[in-house]
């Protein structure tokens, strides 16, 4: 399983899907504004866990797509979330 990439968006996309970043539709960092994001047809680990009755939580920098509501954590299998949708944020 290869999930470490040289940019954050690609690494997150690979880690959450279990696929190579270039197979997720996201192999580079997402800039602003952008319609880029992890392919919505791909199942994330959160979807698998939710389907098996696990309670799911995402906390931190999402940065794998935010141009539509369907790309956000609550539509990608996370029941609870507290996140920044883009990078380069000051905490």
């Amino acid at each position: 399983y290869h999930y470490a990439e040289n940019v954050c968006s690609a690494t997150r996309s690979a880690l959450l899907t279990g696929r190579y970043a270039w197979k997720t539709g996201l192999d580079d960092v997402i800039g602003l504004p952008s319609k880029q994001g992890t392919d919505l047809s791909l199942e994330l680990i959160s979807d698998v866990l939710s389907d098996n009755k696990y309670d799911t939580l995402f906390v931190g920098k999402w940065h794998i797509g935010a141009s539509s509501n369907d790309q956000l954590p609550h539509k990608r299998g996370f029941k609870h979330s507290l996140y920044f949708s883009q990078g380069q944020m000051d905490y």
Side-chain angles (χ1 to χ4, degrees):
Y1 304 105
H2 302 275
Y3 63 86
E5 298 291 330
N6 63 339
V7 291
C8 57
S9 299
T11 298
R12 282 178 175 74
S13 189
L15 181 63
L16 289 170
T17 62
R19 296 172 178 253
Y20 291 109
W22 58 273
K23 289 187 171 188
T24 70
L26 193 60
D27 61 354
D28 201 1
V29 69
I30 297 176
L32 289 173
S34 178
K35 293 189 183 275
Q36 272 186 296
T38 300
D39 186 342
L40 293 174
S41 68
L42 297 176
E43 190 172 53
L44 302 185
I45 186 74
S46 52
D47 296 313
V48 174
L49 292 171
S50 291
D51 290 347
N52 287 284
K53 309 296 184 230
Y54 283 86
D55 207 11
T56 53
L57 168 70
F58 182 86
V59 176
K61 185 170 77 168
W62 182 245
H63 211 200
I64 62 168
S67 66
S68 77
N69 203 33
D70 290 336
Q71 291 180 318
L72 298 177
H74 65 279
K75 294 285 190 164
R76 301 302 311 260
F78 289 100
K79 184 175 180 182
H80 309 282
S81 58
L82 177 64
Y83 64 95
F84 295 103
S85 58
Q86 298 295 325
Q88 301 175 340
M89 301 291 296
D90 289 331
Y91 294 95

